[in-house]
């Protein structure tokens, strides 16, 4: 009975489709491989939000609006939350934003994780937060707010690829959470806050940090097969593998692997990490096939996410927060689509507890 709602259809959407058998992701009629070729976060945001807000916009207009929103949001950074881990600090800051269904609320929510995460990370390192630069696109500005330096072209492109790749993905747990809240007409901030909370768990957006822990523990390619076997013997899951929908390779994994290549070829990342990751991937696929012959388990988005975000200088405790930066637009688009539909989501449960004693 507790099947995690597998195969239950809970919404109709025009936003994205995940074909788990073919390994294909479509976002508003465009396949992922087309979107990531020179795609920007602002471009995919304009696509996802088209027709769902009060007005439509092109990529350049949205880029300018998002940049203004980052500047507005920067004033909400509050050093008082520094005792919390980065994700929780970001969630607490976001929770204080006003609720609403309008464009300004949506833009503030698009800007919030992008501004809060670098600011929180800097404050926790004892550094001053860096104010947004409204002349930059969001990906370049995030990296600049994190490091204090203008990123290289390859770094900006890699972060854009990541944010585009994870912008929306069918009715995953956090998106469902966003739609449930939207169906109550609570407002976009409430929807995004619920989605953010759902994303935190290791079975959803919390896996890429543990992927790096796993790579560190394995250490060398020769060690991979035996280390992974012992982890499975202990009943552990291999982080970065398996997916509820995909029965083949997650197409997002290859998009991210592709985004890493220019960083490696230009010497901006140590190639040894990539070599180790490929060896671990090959060993994990072989061992999962041998141990779980009835369940096709392949690499998922989190595996190469971990390498990419590490290469861009994000600490591993911030990885789930970067995921949130990218996915916020999907949560917003789904929340608006749900709110416009107007029907409350209210499923039923089957009572399996004791019945009252007869009088
Ligand atoms: N490592 C080892 N075994 C795995 C596995 C993994 N990463 N993912 C699934 N399995 C196994 C389960 O142990 C189970 O085996 P069993 O039937 O012998 O008990 C079987 O595959 C089905 O698992 P189930 O939990 O029903 O699948 P799910 O659809 O609920 O799980 C995930 C999807 C993502 C939660 C799961 O694959 C997972 O935990 N992966 C690791 C965490 C991760 O990478 N998360 C990021 C997702 S994008």
């Amino acid at each position: 009975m507790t099947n995690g709602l597998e195969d239950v259809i809970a919404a109709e959407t025009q936003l994205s489709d995940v074909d788990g058998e073919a390994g294909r992701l479509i976002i508003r009629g465009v396949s992922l491989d087309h979107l990531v070729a020179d795609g920007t976060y602002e471009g995919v945001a304009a696509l996802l939000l088209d027709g769902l807000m009060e007005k439509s916009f092109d990529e350049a207009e949205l880029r300018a609006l998002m940049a203004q929103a980052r500047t507005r949001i920067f004033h909400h950074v509050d050093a008082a939350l520094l005792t919390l881990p980065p994700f929780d600090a970001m969630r607490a800051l976001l929770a204080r934003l006003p609720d609403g269904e309008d464009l300004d609320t949506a833009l503030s929510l698009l800007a919030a994780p992008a501004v809060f995460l670098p600011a929180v990370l800097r404050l926790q390192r004892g550094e001053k937060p860096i104010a947004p630069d409204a002349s930059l696109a969001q990906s370049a500005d995030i990296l600049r707010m994190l490091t204090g330096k203008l990123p290289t072209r390859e770094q900006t492109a890699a972060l854009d690829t990541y944010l585009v790749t994870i912008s929306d993905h069918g009715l995953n747990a956090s998106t469902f959470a966003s739609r449930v809240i939207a169906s109550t007409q609570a407002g976009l901030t409430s929807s995004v806050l619920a989605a953010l909370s759902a994303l935190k768990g290791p079975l959803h957006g919390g896996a890429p940090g543990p992927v790096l822990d796993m790579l560190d523990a394995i250490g060398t390619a020769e060690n991979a097969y035996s280390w992974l076997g012992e982890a499975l013997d202990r009943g552990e899951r291999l982080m970065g593998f398996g997916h509820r929908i995909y029965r083949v390779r997650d197409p997002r994994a290859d998009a991210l692997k592709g985004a890493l290549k220019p960083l490696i070829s230009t010497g901006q990342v140590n190639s040894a990490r990539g070599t180790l990751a490929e060896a671990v991937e090959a060993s994990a696929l072989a061992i999962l096939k041998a141990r779980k012959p009835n369940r096709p388990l392949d690499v998922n988005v989190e595996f190469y996410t971990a390498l990419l975000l590490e290469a861009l200088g994000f600490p591993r405790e911030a990885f789930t927060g970067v995921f949130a930066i990218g996915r916020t637009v999907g949560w917003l688009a789904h929340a608006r689509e749900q709110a416009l539909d107007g029907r409350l989501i209210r499923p039923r449960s089957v009572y399996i507890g004791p019945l009252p004693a007869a009088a």
Side-chain angles (χ1 to χ4, degrees), residues 202-204 207 232 236-244 252 288 292 295 297 300-302:
L203 299 191
H204 190 3
L232 289 177
E236 291 172 14
R237 290 185 172 208
L238 307 183
M239 287 294 138
F241 296 87
H243 197 271
R244 173 62 64 81
R252 300 170 300 172
L288 285 169
K292 307 271 176 191
R295 173 82 175 190
L297 292 167
N300 67 39
V301 66
E302 305 289 25

Side-chain angles (χ1 to χ4, degrees), residues 224-236 238 283-297:
Y225 199 86
S226 59
W227 191 97
L228 295 166
E230 285 161 21
L232 289 177
D233 289 343
R234 291 191 298 271
E236 291 172 14
L238 307 183
S283 294
L285 294 182
I287 204 162
L288 285 169
K289 197 168 176 196
R291 299 277 190 104
K292 307 271 176 191
N294 300 324
R295 173 82 175 190
L297 292 167

Side-chain angles (χ1 to χ4, degrees), residues 141-355:
D141 207 16
I142 292 167
L143 292 171
R144 191 194 60 89
M145 288 188 281
L146 180 72
T147 64
K149 289 191 302 232
L150 265 186
T152 63
R153 196 161 46 86
E154 293 81 12
Q155 288 171 327
T156 303
L159 185 57
D160 256 328
T161 299
Y162 173 68
L163 298 178
V164 168
T165 299
I166 51 115
S167 59
D168 197 37
H169 199 243
L171 203 57
N172 56 84
S174 57
T175 300
F176 184 49
S178 172
R179 289 191 81 117
V180 170
I181 306 299
S183 83
T184 72
Q185 298 185 1
L188 291 172
T189 306
S190 297
S191 280
V192 169
L193 193 58
L196 194 65
S197 306
L199 186 73
K200 182 180 169 182
L203 299 191
H204 190 3
V211 167
L212 288 189
D213 297 339
M214 182 175 80
L215 290 182
D216 287 346
I218 292 172
T220 61
E222 300 71 51
N223 213 9
Y225 199 86
S226 59
W227 191 97
L228 295 166
E230 285 161 21
L232 289 177
D233 289 343
R234 291 191 298 271
E236 291 172 14
R237 290 185 172 208
L238 307 183
M239 287 294 138
F241 296 87
H243 197 271
R244 173 62 64 81
I245 306 284
Y246 291 118
R247 291 294 167 263
V248 293
R249 200 176 168 80
D250 185 332
R252 300 170 300 172
D254 286 328
L256 299 179
K257 200 173 173 180
L260 262 170
K261 282 201 179 123
L263 291 172
I264 295 175
S265 65
T266 52
Q268 296 180 60
V269 183
N270 181 352
S271 61
R273 195 64 150 169
T275 310
L276 173 65
E278 282 186 346
V280 170
E281 181 189 346
S283 294
L285 294 182
I287 204 162
L288 285 169
K289 197 168 176 196
R291 299 277 190 104
K292 307 271 176 191
N294 300 324
R295 173 82 175 190
L297 292 167
D298 214 316
V299 69
N300 67 39
V301 66
E302 305 289 25
F303 193 74
Y304 284 101
T305 289
L307 276 101
L308 187 85
L309 297 186
E310 179 184 56
L312 291 175
F314 289 100
R316 58 190 76 177
E317 67 275 15
F319 288 180
T320 312
V322 191
F323 190 160
I325 296 175
R327 184 53 66 81
T328 302
V329 69
W331 295 332
L332 285 170
H334 277 271
R336 285 295 299 155
E337 193 181 51
Q338 183 67 47
L340 292 171
D341 167 81
R343 194 104 209 272
L344 177 73
I345 295 177
R346 202 312 186 183
R348 293 177 55 185
S349 52
V350 176
Y351 178 67
I352 56 164
L355 294 172

Side-chain angles (χ1 to χ4, degrees), residues 13-27:
T13 182
Q14 302 201 16
L15 297 170
S16 63
D17 183 48
V18 183
D19 183 337
E21 301 296 332
R24 194 183 56 179
L25 168 62
I26 295 172
I27 295 182

Side-chain angles (χ1 to χ4, degrees), residues 33-52:
D33 41 342
H34 279 95
L35 277 176
V36 294
D38 295 328
T40 64
Y41 188 59
E42 285 86 347
V44 79
L47 184 68
L48 276 165
L49 295 175
D50 187 38
L52 293 171

Side-chain angles (χ1 to χ4, degrees), residues 66-82:
M66 283 168 60
Q68 288 161 16
R70 286 198 302 280
T71 305
R72 270 201 319 272
I73 280 295
F74 185 66
H75 301 293
H76 291 262
V77 171
D78 180 352
L81 296 164
L82 280 188

